[in-house]
Amino acid sequence: MEEQNKKKENVIYITTSAFQNMAFRESGLEYVQTHGYNVMVWIVGGYDKKTSWDVYDKDCDLCEVCRIGTYSRYEKMISERSRDSVFILPTLTDKALLYPICSYGCDYYVIGNRVRIPIDPSFVYDRNVKETVAEKIGEWYARYKGRMLKFPFIKAKKMYIDRENRKYRAEHTKSLVEEHLPRAVFVSNKASEDAMKASGGSVMDKCSFVYANSRAYNDYLVEEAKGEDIAEDFILCANSGVGFYGVGVYKYYTVEPIYQPDENEKYLKQIVTMLDRLEEHYGMPVIIANHPRCDLRGYDFGGRKIINGKTCELTKKCRLFVTAITSAIAYPVIYNKEILFFYNDCIQNTSTSFGAGYVPLMKALELNGLNLDREEMINEPWNYTTKIRPEVRERYLEEYHYEKGAISGEFGEVLYNAIQSC
């Protein structure tokens, strides 16, 4: 009985993807760690799941990180830590990941999707441009440079691990979640809860959901606690992932024309032209808030200052927010800033993301989109800014960022209080 009542001191976050420092903070793990728990991250299934590109958002080094190649080893580690640890997972749909958690009766929580923007998943373009051999070789080189001599060993080990994991998945297809439910599933609001229920099957109806705001609104709450003054003496350009290479996140899109050399160079020059004219008109500098998972590959937005990891803070202090499609657009909505939303003909006519993301987002926020290929627009970009109407702003925040009447504190605190109950 004494063993059963003993407080659990370990919190283990389990994922199957590369895990960066920003994700550590966004998942509330930093807060939990600073309040006395021993936090670990387990990355399961596959060989060497690390960030491919040299970008700002580095692989997590804020706690102990264990990379577990095979699911059989993962199950053994779960059995050894089932009594002294609380587990956190990003999903309820990976049966192989959940199988040992449920079969050993572990205490666990699920962090649902807390980042949402309007999308139309049914909208697609036919993509005729194929990735070139040179691009494939470039990606391979970026992944394995410095380890060329080890490549045969890496390849053999990867094949062995993949074979072992395919066998494990084939033998563990039964879902045990209904027999051993998570203590709670964290979501932003009722809309996020409904979305998870729609995609997760009948088991979701049995889960307990906890409203904990979106990641962006959580950033806002943390920023507001600082109580700093606002000068609004600069323009902020938050670079979107579209048009820039990323750490695997945007690999799917590299076959699109916007990533081909000529179109990409044209697009990047158009952005600089737009920013030049904004600076001349407003009489203030443009600062760049870099996307944390984008590799700019030497591009500096015309020699402008680039700041990493402070998009929310910079949005609070800026005069105008300039961007293409990004979840960070929540920040200027929350802070009620003017928004300049841009794209060009290549994105509009060939990108899968335009109809699926740009159009729904512009519609939801009533944004005046600026087409960089339209001379009258790029000559006077300030004429195409949008000040979000109050009712549109409130509707957007309630649908994507918090549950009205249930706005909680910092997510880390919500997670910590839940873990304390174990």
Side-chain angles (χ1 to χ4, degrees):
M1 179 65 68
E2 182 179 346
E3 177 66 25
Q4 289 179 339
N5 291 333
K6 184 179 179 181
K7 177 185 174 182
K8 297 182 178 181
E9 299 177 348
N10 301 306
V11 173
I12 302 175
Y13 183 93
I14 302 172
T15 181
T16 58
S17 305
F19 194 77
Q20 284 87 27
N21 282 330
M22 182 170 286
F24 182 84
R25 298 185 177 100
E26 290 174 341
S27 300
L29 299 178
E30 185 173 53
Y31 185 99
V32 171
Q33 184 183 63
T34 58
H35 285 74
Y37 282 93
N38 176 37
V39 176
M40 292 175 275
V41 172
W42 290 359
I43 303 174
V44 183
Y47 178 78
D48 199 21
K49 289 190 175 181
K50 296 181 180 180
T51 299
S52 302
W53 302 103
D54 183 19
V55 294
Y56 160 67
D57 195 5
K58 304 296 184 182
D59 288 315
C60 183
D61 58 4
L62 301 176
C63 71
E64 179 184 342
V65 178
C66 182
R67 291 176 170 82
I68 307 167
T70 63
Y71 278 84
S72 55
R73 181 185 170 216
Y74 163 63
E75 181 171 339
K76 183 175 184 297
M77 292 175 67
I78 290 290
S79 69
E80 295 169 349
R81 308 306 297 260
S82 61
R83 292 184 178 276
D84 68 0
S85 302
V86 177
F87 299 90
I88 302 171
L89 292 89
T91 178
L92 258 181
T93 59
D94 191 326
K95 294 177 182 177
L97 203 66
L98 284 158
Y99 194 92
I101 293 282
C102 296
S103 62
Y104 286 100
C106 301
D107 288 317
Y108 72 105
Y109 295 87
V110 174
I111 299 179
N113 185 4
R114 295 173 54 236
V115 179
R116 294 175 63 234
I117 60 174
I119 60 169
D120 178 4
S122 67
F123 197 102
V124 295
Y125 285 105
D126 291 329
R127 297 190 310 278
N128 297 318
V129 179
K130 302 299 181 182
E131 192 174 16
T132 66
V133 173
E135 288 172 330
K136 291 180 179 179
I137 293 174
E139 189 208 4
W140 182 86
Y141 177 76
R143 186 176 296 275
Y144 293 108
K145 64 180 177 181
R147 301 186 296 168
M148 296 296 188
L149 296 178
K150 294 182 179 179
F151 180 73
F153 166 78
I154 293 172
K155 186 71 173 177
K157 188 169 183 179
K158 187 176 185 298
M159 290 176 63
Y160 167 77
I161 290 173
D162 289 346
R163 184 172 63 248
E164 285 285 304
N165 289 343
R166 283 196 300 271
K167 179 181 177 182
Y168 187 94
R169 285 187 173 278
E171 294 173 350
H172 297 82
T173 58
K174 181 182 178 182
S175 175
L176 301 181
V177 174
E178 292 200 33
E179 300 171 19
H180 188 69
L181 295 170
R183 282 181 166 262
V185 178
F186 298 102
V187 291
S188 303
N189 53 17
K190 184 65 166 58
S192 294
E193 177 185 344
D194 291 342
M196 288 196 70
K197 286 182 176 179
S199 62
S202 60
V203 66
M204 289 295 184
D205 292 326
K206 300 180 180 180
C207 291
S208 298
F209 286 84
V210 175
Y211 299 149
N213 306 325
S214 69
R215 289 181 181 177
Y217 203 80
N218 186 74
D219 291 342
Y220 162 74
L221 294 176
V222 173
E223 186 60 38
E224 283 301 282
K226 298 178 183 178
E228 296 176 322
D229 294 332
I230 302 175
E232 293 192 338
D233 55 359
F234 64 91
I235 297 165
L236 182 66
C237 179
N239 82 294
S240 161
V242 176
F244 297 91
Y245 289 86
V247 293
V249 177
Y250 307 107
K251 182 70 178 110
Y252 173 81
Y253 295 110
T254 59
V255 297
E256 293 190 348
I258 193 63
Y259 290 93
Q260 303 310 307
D262 290 344
E263 288 290 353
N264 194 254
E265 183 180 2
K266 174 187 172 184
Y267 177 59
L268 299 183
K269 286 182 178 178
Q270 288 175 329
I271 293 174
V272 172
T273 298
M274 174 187 63
L275 299 181
D276 286 344
R277 289 172 183 166
L278 288 171
E279 286 186 335
E280 292 170 4
H281 177 76
Y282 287 96
M284 58 181 63
V286 171
I287 293 175
I288 308 301
N290 189 30
H291 190 295
R293 296 179 181 89
C294 280
D295 184 357
L296 298 179
R297 301 187 179 188
Y299 179 69
D300 62 2
F301 297 85
R304 290 178 168 87
K305 184 177 182 179
I306 299 174
I307 298 178
N308 296 305
K310 295 186 177 182
T311 306
C312 183
E313 176 185 341
L314 292 169
T315 303
K316 175 181 179 179
K317 299 175 181 178
C318 76
R319 165 69 175 80
L320 171 68
F321 187 95
V322 183
T323 194
I325 188 170
T326 172
S327 61
I329 203 166
Y331 298 132
V333 177
I334 293 170
Y335 279 112
N336 202 25
K337 301 287 183 174
E338 281 189 81
I339 300 171
L340 180 58
F341 190 75
F342 66 86
Y343 52 90
N344 71 356
D345 283 343
C346 184
I347 292 173
Q348 183 175 21
N349 297 330
T350 65
S351 173
T352 56
S353 61
F354 191 80
Y358 280 77
V359 172
L361 185 57
M362 285 191 285
K363 183 178 180 180
L365 291 173
E366 299 180 351
L367 295 172
N368 300 315
L370 183 151
N371 187 333
L372 297 170
D373 279 304
R374 296 270 298 275
E375 187 174 351
E376 71 276 16
M377 289 186 170
I378 200 169
N379 282 340
E380 298 182 340
W382 51 88
N383 289 333
Y384 302 92
T385 63
T386 302
K387 184 74 170 181
I388 308 298
R389 293 191 295 120
E391 58 270 31
V392 172
R393 174 181 180 273
E394 191 61 27
R395 182 175 66 240
Y396 182 81
L397 294 179
E398 287 180 16
E399 184 169 356
Y400 294 98
H401 294 281
Y402 56 66
E403 183 66 19
K404 188 174 183 178
I407 296 176
S408 53
E410 183 179 343
F411 177 66
E413 183 179 359
V414 176
L415 179 61
Y416 172 79
N417 290 336
I419 293 171
Q420 284 282 84
S421 67
C422 292

